Amino acid sequence: MLVSKMVQIEFTDSSIQAADAIYDIRKAAESASINLNLRYDVVLQYPMLADENKVVVELKIPEEIVDTFSVGNHLRGISTYLLKRCGGRYDKYLVGKRLLNYIEIPTPEVKTDKLPMVDRLEAIVRFTKLLERSDSEALDYINRILIILKEAEKV
């Protein structure tokens, strides 16, 4: 199972916005995504603009490595691409040895009201077993379930 993480990409030098370099960042992410996928089975989605001037990218990381996966360390391929394959266009934006910052955006816990498929199948199996019985207790339970189902149809 893959765990999704949202990461905001911004230049370390505040004189340039990542949105101004979105085309190059997308090409760099495309290049970096091949390496991440081959090495770690990590899927790097297409970088998108958010809030007019922010660049965000979604990472889908295998559940078994998500706790030890260092986002900034593994996304440095984007910086490397910008520095080595863009004709020196971004060299003047280096701060120390760093070009980009990768900020993980906390995503709110998604609370779902859906009953998991395993629980649904278990309910079907239990109801089927109940239907196979013909004793008065089973019939009472079946009638109560049918009443609940009829009430749910009205809602």
Side-chain angles (χ1 to χ4, degrees):
M1 176 173 216
L2 297 176
V3 176
S4 181
K5 289 191 177 212
M6 295 299 290
V7 177
Q8 180 178 333
I9 299 172
E10 53 183 45
F11 281 90
T12 305
D13 184 340
S14 60
S15 66
I16 181 173
Q17 296 288 319
D20 298 334
I22 187 71
Y23 177 77
D24 289 333
I25 289 173
R26 285 177 174 163
K27 300 272 293 168
E30 185 178 320
S31 175
S33 71
I34 296 167
N35 185 36
L36 287 171
N37 194 279
L38 289 174
R39 285 188 174 188
Y40 307 103
D41 288 328
V42 170
V43 178
L44 181 63
Q45 299 291 335
Y46 195 69
M48 302 299 288
L49 286 174
D51 298 332
E52 296 180 28
N53 63 349
K54 294 180 182 175
V55 175
V56 294
V57 66
E58 182 178 10
L59 282 161
K60 294 188 181 205
I61 306 166
E63 193 171 31
E64 55 273 3
I65 66 168
V66 73
D67 293 333
T68 59
F69 190 82
S70 172
V71 172
N73 188 39
H74 287 94
L75 290 181
R76 70 177 181 237
I78 296 173
S79 294
T80 303
Y81 181 97
L82 294 175
L83 290 170
K84 291 187 176 180
R85 299 216 176 157
C86 292
R89 198 174 12 223
Y90 299 104
D91 292 350
K92 62 184 174 188
Y93 299 111
L94 276 169
V95 175
K97 292 184 178 182
R98 178 165 280 211
L99 179 65
L100 298 173
N101 288 324
Y102 307 99
I103 303 158
E104 190 174 329
I105 302 170
T107 54
E109 292 280 328
V110 177
K111 187 176 180 181
T112 178
D113 293 333
K114 291 185 178 180
L115 190 62
M117 187 56 73
V118 174
D119 293 339
R120 290 173 188 223
L121 293 173
E122 179 66 27
I124 292 169
V125 168
R126 286 182 174 184
F127 189 63
T128 304
K129 287 182 180 178
L130 195 58
L131 288 171
E132 291 173 350
R133 294 175 37 194
S134 60
D135 59 281
S136 62
E137 185 181 19
L139 292 175
D140 184 45
Y141 286 132
I142 291 168
N143 285 328
R144 288 172 32 197
I145 292 170
L146 291 174
I147 290 169
I148 291 169
L149 291 173
K150 286 178 184 173
E151 287 176 8
E153 285 177 356
K154 293 177 184 175
V155 176

